[in-house]
Structures are given as structure tokens and as C-alpha cells.
Amino acid sequence: MIVKSKGIVLSYMKYGDTSIIARIFTEEGGYGSYIVNSIRSQKSKKSIGYFQPFTILDLILYVKETRDLQRVSEFKSHYPLHHIHQDLMKSSITLFLTEVFSKLLQSEQSPNPELYAFAEDSIKIFDQLKDGVSNFHLQFLLKIGPFLGYAIDDIDNVYSSTNRLSPSNENQEIMDMLMKESYGYETKMTREARNDMLDGILEYYQHHAHIAKPKSLEVLRSVLN
């Protein structure tokens, strides 16, 4: 079956001599793994750069329901990204978020158009974002919860299901604002406060979604700090 869909690339791995297996969150099919044939061949007319994290593509997919691994038949850029992959801080945040997002999407192998629209809109905003860049990952993870069925009504919900102590009143107020305000919200916080907030959010998702600790966490922290 041929399926046309937009898709957000999360990661890829080499497959065979010239191909890759890309993990993509698609609007029409949810999260899945797709073979992209001959993209690493010297004769390929398209660059593997199309499969950088958070790239948004227009896809033609060859889908067979009896298979777990599907195939990308054709692809092209849907929305060119100008800053995410060139800026060190943005690229580090992207690497971290695509790892966490992939783990959260393990159960989203059917269409979730509201979640897809949220993710695509967030990526487009992030690419152009000038203020509050260092807070984007916190806002993204706080805002995405309801789309995954993990509603975060207030910050107390984040900490009540973990073994962590609740944050100070000041930090709780900051987290409330990060959750409610649009991307780009600027606020001063210490390195320790930002790390504690992120640890609390990750432990919340580890408790509810049973995800492992992200391997890219320390890289992110070294860049932000």
C-alpha cells in the first residue's frame, strides 16, 4: 500500500552497504522504522542530510501491514530548517529531545494527528527561536504530556509520582510559567535549578512511560552549563 504523509525524522542507523533505517514519526501512521535504500551510495541523487534529527519531510511510503519495517519510496523537504542543525545549543537540545521523544513514542504506532501537529509546530518555532532557547527542552517536555496521555495539570503532579522532593516555591513558579507560556519564555535560573527541573520531568516520564535515562543527557548539560 502506498501512503503519502508528512514525517519528522528522529534518528537513523546504517543498514547494509548503502542504506539506512530511519525512525520517523509520521502524521498518517505514527512512529515507525523505515528503510531508505541507497541513500549512502555515491550515486545517490539526494543527501543523507535529509535524515538529520527533527527534519520535516514529505514522504511517499510503501507500507505492508504484515511487516514491522516499512520502506520510504520517495521523500523531499517539507519545511527547510535553517538554524537547528547549525547552532551548537540548538543541535544539542535537538539530539536530546529526539532521543527522549523516540522513547515516549514507542507506544504511538498508530496515528496521533494532534501530537504530530504539536511536534511539527514546536520544531518550526524552535528553528526560528531567539529568546529562551536554553529553556526549550523543558517547555517541550512539559507541554507534550497531554498529547501522550500524561496530563500535567500542575507541577505538583510531576513530583508527586516520583521520589524527588518538591522544588522550592520559586522554582515551582518558574516551572508553572514554562509550562503555560509560549516558547521563548525567558527567566533567570541557576544551573542547579535547571538540572533539578529536568531531572524531575524525566523521572515523571520514567515512572509513567517506563523510559530509560537518555544517553545524551550529559552532553546536553555540558553544553548548557
mmCIF file of all heavy atoms in Angstrom, residues 58-96:
data_model
loop_
_atom_site.group_PDB
_atom_site.id
_atom_site.type_symbol
_atom_site.label_atom_id
_atom_site.label_comp_id
_atom_site.label_asym_id
_atom_site.label_seq_id
_atom_site.Cartn_x
_atom_site.Cartn_y
_atom_site.Cartn_z
ATOM 1 N N ASP A 58 8.214 15.498 3.382
ATOM 2 C CA ASP A 58 7.063 14.940 2.659
ATOM 3 C C ASP A 58 7.495 13.564 2.171
ATOM 4 O O ASP A 58 8.523 13.434 1.492
ATOM 5 C CB ASP A 58 6.682 15.824 1.474
ATOM 6 C CG ASP A 58 6.001 17.116 1.901
ATOM 7 O OD1 ASP A 58 5.216 17.073 2.862
ATOM 8 O OD2 ASP A 58 6.258 18.160 1.275
ATOM 9 N N LEU A 59 6.706 12.564 2.502
ATOM 10 C CA LEU A 59 7.106 11.180 2.258
ATOM 11 C C LEU A 59 6.086 10.439 1.408
ATOM 12 O O LEU A 59 4.884 10.667 1.526
ATOM 13 C CB LEU A 59 7.252 10.433 3.585
ATOM 14 C CG LEU A 59 8.277 10.968 4.585
ATOM 15 C CD1 LEU A 59 7.964 10.447 5.986
ATOM 16 C CD2 LEU A 59 9.688 10.581 4.170
ATOM 17 N N ILE A 60 6.584 9.546 0.578
ATOM 18 C CA ILE A 60 5.757 8.511 -0.032
ATOM 19 C C ILE A 60 6.284 7.186 0.505
ATOM 20 O O ILE A 60 7.455 6.841 0.309
ATOM 21 C CB ILE A 60 5.815 8.555 -1.564
ATOM 22 C CG1 ILE A 60 5.259 9.886 -2.078
ATOM 23 C CG2 ILE A 60 5.021 7.391 -2.161
ATOM 24 C CD1 ILE A 60 5.304 10.040 -3.587
ATOM 25 N N LEU A 61 5.431 6.489 1.226
ATOM 26 C CA LEU A 61 5.833 5.285 1.940
ATOM 27 C C LEU A 61 5.205 4.049 1.314
ATOM 28 O O LEU A 61 4.048 4.080 0.870
ATOM 29 C CB LEU A 61 5.395 5.373 3.407
ATOM 30 C CG LEU A 61 5.818 6.628 4.162
ATOM 31 C CD1 LEU A 61 5.121 6.691 5.510
ATOM 32 C CD2 LEU A 61 7.336 6.660 4.340
ATOM 33 N N TYR A 62 5.985 2.981 1.297
ATOM 34 C CA TYR A 62 5.452 1.682 0.877
ATOM 35 C C TYR A 62 5.229 0.879 2.154
ATOM 36 O O TYR A 62 6.184 0.507 2.841
ATOM 37 C CB TYR A 62 6.414 0.963 -0.056
ATOM 38 C CG TYR A 62 5.883 -0.371 -0.531
ATOM 39 C CD1 TYR A 62 4.819 -0.435 -1.429
ATOM 40 C CD2 TYR A 62 6.431 -1.566 -0.076
ATOM 41 C CE1 TYR A 62 4.317 -1.655 -1.854
ATOM 42 C CE2 TYR A 62 5.939 -2.790 -0.498
ATOM 43 C CZ TYR A 62 4.878 -2.823 -1.388
ATOM 44 O OH TYR A 62 4.371 -4.033 -1.800
ATOM 45 N N VAL A 63 3.961 0.667 2.490
ATOM 46 C CA VAL A 63 3.602 0.059 3.768
ATOM 47 C C VAL A 63 2.957 -1.303 3.549
ATOM 48 O O VAL A 63 2.010 -1.447 2.764
ATOM 49 C CB VAL A 63 2.626 0.972 4.550
ATOM 50 C CG1 VAL A 63 2.185 0.307 5.844
ATOM 51 C CG2 VAL A 63 3.281 2.315 4.822
ATOM 52 N N LYS A 64 3.455 -2.285 4.249
ATOM 53 C CA LYS A 64 2.868 -3.628 4.241
ATOM 54 C C LYS A 64 2.580 -3.996 5.691
ATOM 55 O O LYS A 64 3.492 -4.088 6.508
ATOM 56 C CB LYS A 64 3.838 -4.630 3.606
ATOM 57 C CG LYS A 64 3.191 -5.955 3.241
ATOM 58 C CD LYS A 64 4.135 -6.810 2.394
ATOM 59 C CE LYS A 64 3.445 -8.098 1.964
ATOM 60 N NZ LYS A 64 4.327 -8.926 1.098
ATOM 61 N N GLU A 65 1.316 -4.183 6.022
ATOM 62 C CA GLU A 65 0.906 -4.340 7.406
ATOM 63 C C GLU A 65 1.505 -5.563 8.086
ATOM 64 O O GLU A 65 1.593 -5.606 9.318
ATOM 65 C CB GLU A 65 -0.623 -4.390 7.492
ATOM 66 C CG GLU A 65 -1.279 -3.069 7.098
ATOM 67 C CD GLU A 65 -2.778 -3.104 7.286
ATOM 68 O OE1 GLU A 65 -3.305 -4.171 7.696
ATOM 69 O OE2 GLU A 65 -3.429 -2.077 7.008
ATOM 70 N N THR A 66 1.906 -6.541 7.328
ATOM 71 C CA THR A 66 2.475 -7.749 7.926
ATOM 72 C C THR A 66 3.947 -7.568 8.303
ATOM 73 O O THR A 66 4.555 -8.468 8.865
ATOM 74 C CB THR A 66 2.346 -8.935 6.954
ATOM 75 O OG1 THR A 66 2.973 -8.593 5.705
ATOM 76 C CG2 THR A 66 0.886 -9.268 6.720
ATOM 77 N N ARG A 67 4.518 -6.398 7.986
ATOM 78 C CA ARG A 67 5.930 -6.149 8.288
ATOM 79 C C ARG A 67 6.067 -5.037 9.325
ATOM 80 O O ARG A 67 5.321 -4.077 9.325
ATOM 81 C CB ARG A 67 6.689 -5.749 7.025
ATOM 82 C CG ARG A 67 6.795 -6.856 5.980
ATOM 83 C CD ARG A 67 7.575 -6.363 4.772
ATOM 84 N NE ARG A 67 7.701 -7.387 3.748
ATOM 85 C CZ ARG A 67 8.266 -7.191 2.563
ATOM 86 N NH1 ARG A 67 8.741 -5.989 2.255
ATOM 87 N NH2 ARG A 67 8.347 -8.171 1.682
ATOM 88 N N ASP A 68 7.069 -5.186 10.198
ATOM 89 C CA ASP A 68 7.380 -4.137 11.160
ATOM 90 C C ASP A 68 8.230 -3.044 10.520
ATOM 91 O O ASP A 68 8.178 -1.885 10.928
ATOM 92 C CB ASP A 68 8.132 -4.710 12.372
ATOM 93 C CG ASP A 68 7.249 -5.645 13.189
ATOM 94 O OD1 ASP A 68 6.019 -5.418 13.208
ATOM 95 O OD2 ASP A 68 7.782 -6.580 13.795
ATOM 96 N N LEU A 69 9.021 -3.425 9.533
ATOM 97 C CA LEU A 69 9.927 -2.486 8.877
ATOM 98 C C LEU A 69 9.365 -2.118 7.512
ATOM 99 O O LEU A 69 9.225 -2.960 6.634
ATOM 100 C CB LEU A 69 11.312 -3.136 8.729
ATOM 101 C CG LEU A 69 12.487 -2.245 8.328
ATOM 102 C CD1 LEU A 69 12.707 -1.137 9.348
ATOM 103 C CD2 LEU A 69 13.754 -3.093 8.204
ATOM 104 N N GLN A 70 9.025 -0.837 7.341
ATOM 105 C CA GLN A 70 8.438 -0.365 6.093
ATOM 106 C C GLN A 70 9.509 0.324 5.245
ATOM 107 O O GLN A 70 10.674 0.374 5.625
ATOM 108 C CB GLN A 70 7.270 0.579 6.384
ATOM 109 C CG GLN A 70 6.265 0.046 7.396
ATOM 110 C CD GLN A 70 5.616 -1.262 6.961
ATOM 111 O OE1 GLN A 70 5.595 -1.619 5.799
ATOM 112 N NE2 GLN A 70 5.075 -2.008 7.933
ATOM 113 N N ARG A 71 9.104 0.889 4.100
ATOM 114 C CA ARG A 71 10.100 1.458 3.188
ATOM 115 C C ARG A 71 9.682 2.853 2.739
ATOM 116 O O ARG A 71 8.517 3.110 2.433
ATOM 117 C CB ARG A 71 10.274 0.554 1.967
ATOM 118 C CG ARG A 71 11.328 1.047 0.977
ATOM 119 C CD ARG A 71 11.720 -0.065 0.013
ATOM 120 N NE ARG A 71 10.614 -0.509 -0.802
ATOM 121 C CZ ARG A 71 10.254 0.070 -1.951
ATOM 122 N NH1 ARG A 71 10.916 1.134 -2.399
ATOM 123 N NH2 ARG A 71 9.253 -0.412 -2.663
ATOM 124 N N VAL A 72 10.665 3.758 2.709
ATOM 125 C CA VAL A 72 10.466 5.086 2.137
ATOM 126 C C VAL A 72 10.704 4.979 0.638
ATOM 127 O O VAL A 72 11.803 4.641 0.197
ATOM 128 C CB VAL A 72 11.424 6.120 2.757
ATOM 129 C CG1 VAL A 72 11.308 7.462 2.028
ATOM 130 C CG2 VAL A 72 11.128 6.299 4.244
ATOM 131 N N SER A 73 9.671 5.276 -0.143
ATOM 132 C CA SER A 73 9.791 5.212 -1.589
ATOM 133 C C SER A 73 10.346 6.514 -2.163
ATOM 134 O O SER A 73 11.254 6.510 -2.991
ATOM 135 C CB SER A 73 8.427 4.906 -2.213
ATOM 136 O OG SER A 73 8.519 4.876 -3.623
ATOM 137 N N GLU A 74 9.803 7.653 -1.694
ATOM 138 C CA GLU A 74 10.266 8.972 -2.139
ATOM 139 C C GLU A 74 10.204 9.931 -0.963
ATOM 140 O O GLU A 74 9.415 9.741 -0.030
ATOM 141 C CB GLU A 74 9.397 9.498 -3.290
ATOM 142 C CG GLU A 74 9.433 8.657 -4.555
ATOM 143 C CD GLU A 74 8.545 9.238 -5.648
ATOM 144 O OE1 GLU A 74 8.393 10.481 -5.697
ATOM 145 O OE2 GLU A 74 7.982 8.449 -6.429
ATOM 146 N N PHE A 75 11.003 10.981 -1.033
ATOM 147 C CA PHE A 75 10.977 11.985 0.024
ATOM 148 C C PHE A 75 11.514 13.311 -0.495
ATOM 149 O O PHE A 75 12.291 13.374 -1.430
ATOM 150 C CB PHE A 75 11.829 11.530 1.225
ATOM 151 C CG PHE A 75 13.279 11.309 0.915
ATOM 152 C CD1 PHE A 75 14.204 12.346 1.026
ATOM 153 C CD2 PHE A 75 13.741 10.069 0.492
ATOM 154 C CE1 PHE A 75 15.532 12.147 0.738
ATOM 155 C CE2 PHE A 75 15.078 9.864 0.194
ATOM 156 C CZ PHE A 75 15.981 10.913 0.320
ATOM 157 N N LYS A 76 11.053 14.382 0.140
ATOM 158 C CA LYS A 76 11.561 15.724 -0.121
ATOM 159 C C LYS A 76 11.321 16.584 1.111
ATOM 160 O O LYS A 76 10.508 16.237 1.979
ATOM 161 C CB LYS A 76 10.885 16.355 -1.344
ATOM 162 C CG LYS A 76 9.396 16.592 -1.190
ATOM 163 C CD LYS A 76 8.819 17.228 -2.449
ATOM 164 C CE LYS A 76 7.318 17.488 -2.301
ATOM 165 N NZ LYS A 76 6.737 18.123 -3.523
ATOM 166 N N SER A 77 12.023 17.689 1.199
ATOM 167 C CA SER A 77 11.872 18.570 2.352
ATOM 168 C C SER A 77 10.483 19.192 2.370
ATOM 169 O O SER A 77 9.995 19.683 1.344
ATOM 170 C CB SER A 77 12.935 19.669 2.316
ATOM 171 O OG SER A 77 12.716 20.606 3.356
ATOM 172 N N HIS A 78 9.852 19.166 3.515
ATOM 173 C CA HIS A 78 8.561 19.843 3.673
ATOM 174 C C HIS A 78 8.743 21.262 4.191
ATOM 175 O O HIS A 78 8.042 22.177 3.773
ATOM 176 C CB HIS A 78 7.667 19.064 4.641
ATOM 177 C CG HIS A 78 6.390 19.778 4.970
ATOM 178 N ND1 HIS A 78 5.315 19.816 4.097
ATOM 179 C CD2 HIS A 78 6.015 20.510 6.068
ATOM 180 C CE1 HIS A 78 4.338 20.530 4.643
ATOM 181 N NE2 HIS A 78 4.739 20.963 5.833
ATOM 182 N N TYR A 79 9.710 21.429 5.110
ATOM 183 C CA TYR A 79 9.947 22.736 5.724
ATOM 184 C C TYR A 79 11.438 22.845 6.011
ATOM 185 O O TYR A 79 11.945 22.208 6.930
ATOM 186 C CB TYR A 79 9.131 22.862 7.017
ATOM 187 C CG TYR A 79 9.281 24.198 7.712
ATOM 188 C CD1 TYR A 79 8.439 25.257 7.397
ATOM 189 C CD2 TYR A 79 10.268 24.383 8.678
ATOM 190 C CE1 TYR A 79 8.572 26.481 8.026
ATOM 191 C CE2 TYR A 79 10.403 25.607 9.318
ATOM 192 C CZ TYR A 79 9.553 26.648 8.988
ATOM 193 O OH TYR A 79 9.702 27.869 9.618
ATOM 194 N N PRO A 80 12.165 23.643 5.243
ATOM 195 C CA PRO A 80 13.615 23.751 5.453
ATOM 196 C C PRO A 80 13.941 24.335 6.832
ATOM 197 O O PRO A 80 13.356 25.348 7.234
ATOM 198 C CB PRO A 80 14.063 24.708 4.339
ATOM 199 C CG PRO A 80 12.959 24.685 3.332
ATOM 200 C CD PRO A 80 11.696 24.454 4.098
ATOM 201 N N LEU A 81 14.852 23.700 7.540
ATOM 202 C CA LEU A 81 15.320 24.196 8.831
ATOM 203 C C LEU A 81 16.640 24.926 8.622
ATOM 204 O O LEU A 81 17.555 24.409 7.982
ATOM 205 C CB LEU A 81 15.505 23.032 9.803
ATOM 206 C CG LEU A 81 14.237 22.214 10.104
ATOM 207 C CD1 LEU A 81 14.575 21.012 10.965
ATOM 208 C CD2 LEU A 81 13.175 23.067 10.787
ATOM 209 N N HIS A 82 16.766 26.113 9.191
ATOM 210 C CA HIS A 82 17.929 26.953 8.928
ATOM 211 C C HIS A 82 18.893 27.053 10.104
ATOM 212 O O HIS A 82 20.052 27.426 9.921
ATOM 213 C CB HIS A 82 17.472 28.353 8.527
ATOM 214 C CG HIS A 82 16.618 28.388 7.299
ATOM 215 N ND1 HIS A 82 17.110 28.135 6.034
ATOM 216 C CD2 HIS A 82 15.282 28.598 7.144
ATOM 217 C CE1 HIS A 82 16.139 28.221 5.142
ATOM 218 N NE2 HIS A 82 15.012 28.496 5.792
ATOM 219 N N HIS A 83 18.431 26.742 11.315
ATOM 220 C CA HIS A 83 19.275 27.008 12.487
ATOM 221 C C HIS A 83 19.473 25.809 13.404
ATOM 222 O O HIS A 83 20.485 25.729 14.089
ATOM 223 C CB HIS A 83 18.666 28.152 13.301
ATOM 224 C CG HIS A 83 18.433 29.397 12.508
ATOM 225 N ND1 HIS A 83 19.466 30.206 12.071
ATOM 226 C CD2 HIS A 83 17.281 29.955 12.045
ATOM 227 C CE1 HIS A 83 18.959 31.222 11.387
ATOM 228 N NE2 HIS A 83 17.651 31.092 11.350
ATOM 229 N N ILE A 84 18.523 24.883 13.428
ATOM 230 C CA ILE A 84 18.583 23.781 14.386
ATOM 231 C C ILE A 84 19.873 22.977 14.262
ATOM 232 O O ILE A 84 20.476 22.570 15.261
ATOM 233 C CB ILE A 84 17.360 22.858 14.218
ATOM 234 C CG1 ILE A 84 16.132 23.507 14.866
ATOM 235 C CG2 ILE A 84 17.605 21.475 14.819
ATOM 236 C CD1 ILE A 84 14.862 22.689 14.747
ATOM 237 N N HIS A 85 20.333 22.740 13.048
ATOM 238 C CA HIS A 85 21.495 21.875 12.852
ATOM 239 C C HIS A 85 22.812 22.644 12.770
ATOM 240 O O HIS A 85 23.879 22.030 12.733
ATOM 241 C CB HIS A 85 21.302 21.033 11.586
ATOM 242 C CG HIS A 85 20.078 20.182 11.628
ATOM 243 N ND1 HIS A 85 19.115 20.196 10.636
ATOM 244 C CD2 HIS A 85 19.624 19.302 12.568
ATOM 245 C CE1 HIS A 85 18.149 19.358 10.951
ATOM 246 N NE2 HIS A 85 18.434 18.809 12.112
ATOM 247 N N GLN A 86 22.746 23.973 12.748
ATOM 248 C CA GLN A 86 23.961 24.781 12.660
ATOM 249 C C GLN A 86 24.379 25.361 14.010
ATOM 250 O O GLN A 86 25.558 25.621 14.239
ATOM 251 C CB GLN A 86 23.766 25.938 11.662
ATOM 252 C CG GLN A 86 23.843 25.527 10.193
ATOM 253 C CD GLN A 86 22.652 24.716 9.744
ATOM 254 O OE1 GLN A 86 21.519 25.028 10.100
ATOM 255 N NE2 GLN A 86 22.878 23.670 8.962
ATOM 256 N N ASP A 87 23.426 25.598 14.885
ATOM 257 C CA ASP A 87 23.685 26.199 16.194
ATOM 258 C C ASP A 87 23.990 25.098 17.210
ATOM 259 O O ASP A 87 23.232 24.140 17.341
ATOM 260 C CB ASP A 87 22.453 27.012 16.620
ATOM 261 C CG ASP A 87 22.625 27.667 17.967
ATOM 262 O OD1 ASP A 87 22.401 27.000 18.992
ATOM 263 O OD2 ASP A 87 22.991 28.860 17.997
ATOM 264 N N LEU A 88 25.111 25.242 17.944
ATOM 265 C CA LEU A 88 25.545 24.182 18.858
ATOM 266 C C LEU A 88 24.515 23.909 19.942
ATOM 267 O O LEU A 88 24.196 22.750 20.232
ATOM 268 C CB LEU A 88 26.883 24.554 19.502
ATOM 269 C CG LEU A 88 27.421 23.564 20.558
ATOM 270 C CD1 LEU A 88 27.621 22.185 19.958
ATOM 271 C CD2 LEU A 88 28.714 24.089 21.177
ATOM 272 N N MET A 89 23.975 24.953 20.553
ATOM 273 C CA MET A 89 22.999 24.742 21.618
ATOM 274 C C MET A 89 21.732 24.101 21.068
ATOM 275 O O MET A 89 21.214 23.137 21.635
ATOM 276 C CB MET A 89 22.655 26.062 22.316
ATOM 277 C CG MET A 89 21.676 25.887 23.473
ATOM 278 S SD MET A 89 21.284 27.427 24.344
ATOM 279 C CE MET A 89 22.860 27.753 25.128
ATOM 280 N N LYS A 90 21.241 24.597 19.939
ATOM 281 C CA LYS A 90 20.024 24.033 19.357
ATOM 282 C C LYS A 90 20.237 22.587 18.903
ATOM 283 O O LYS A 90 19.353 21.742 19.073
ATOM 284 C CB LYS A 90 19.532 24.899 18.197
ATOM 285 C CG LYS A 90 18.898 26.210 18.635
ATOM 286 C CD LYS A 90 18.259 26.936 17.469
ATOM 287 C CE LYS A 90 17.533 28.195 17.941
ATOM 288 N NZ LYS A 90 16.829 28.898 16.850
ATOM 289 N N SER A 91 21.386 22.298 18.325
ATOM 290 C CA SER A 91 21.623 20.928 17.858
ATOM 291 C C SER A 91 21.751 19.963 19.041
ATOM 292 O O SER A 91 21.324 18.804 18.950
ATOM 293 C CB SER A 91 22.875 20.871 16.979
ATOM 294 O OG SER A 91 24.039 21.234 17.705
ATOM 295 N N SER A 92 22.310 20.428 20.154
ATOM 296 C CA SER A 92 22.422 19.583 21.341
ATOM 297 C C SER A 92 21.058 19.322 21.959
ATOM 298 O O SER A 92 20.751 18.194 22.376
ATOM 299 C CB SER A 92 23.341 20.248 22.373
ATOM 300 O OG SER A 92 24.639 20.437 21.845
ATOM 301 N N ILE A 93 20.226 20.356 22.027
ATOM 302 C CA ILE A 93 18.857 20.188 22.524
ATOM 303 C C ILE A 93 18.077 19.253 21.608
ATOM 304 O O ILE A 93 17.320 18.390 22.068
ATOM 305 C CB ILE A 93 18.166 21.558 22.646
ATOM 306 C CG1 ILE A 93 18.799 22.367 23.779
ATOM 307 C CG2 ILE A 93 16.663 21.398 22.889
ATOM 308 C CD1 ILE A 93 18.321 23.802 23.871
ATOM 309 N N THR A 94 18.260 19.402 20.298
ATOM 310 C CA THR A 94 17.583 18.537 19.327
ATOM 311 C C THR A 94 17.977 17.082 19.518
ATOM 312 O O THR A 94 17.117 16.186 19.512
ATOM 313 C CB THR A 94 17.910 18.996 17.899
ATOM 314 O OG1 THR A 94 17.363 20.293 17.682
ATOM 315 C CG2 THR A 94 17.350 18.030 16.863
ATOM 316 N N LEU A 95 19.264 16.821 19.670
ATOM 317 C CA LEU A 95 19.739 15.447 19.882
ATOM 318 C C LEU A 95 19.100 14.846 21.129
ATOM 319 O O LEU A 95 18.641 13.688 21.121
ATOM 320 C CB LEU A 95 21.262 15.442 20.005
ATOM 321 C CG LEU A 95 21.921 14.071 20.182
ATOM 322 C CD1 LEU A 95 21.723 13.218 18.941
ATOM 323 C CD2 LEU A 95 23.413 14.238 20.476
ATOM 324 N N PHE A 96 19.043 15.626 22.185
ATOM 325 C CA PHE A 96 18.448 15.159 23.437
ATOM 326 C C PHE A 96 16.951 14.900 23.272
ATOM 327 O O PHE A 96 16.436 13.844 23.648
ATOM 328 C CB PHE A 96 18.700 16.188 24.536
ATOM 329 C CG PHE A 96 17.916 15.940 25.790
ATOM 330 C CD1 PHE A 96 18.286 14.944 26.681
ATOM 331 C CD2 PHE A 96 16.791 16.706 26.079
ATOM 332 C CE1 PHE A 96 17.547 14.706 27.838
ATOM 333 C CE2 PHE A 96 16.052 16.479 27.226
ATOM 334 C CZ PHE A 96 16.430 15.477 28.110
#
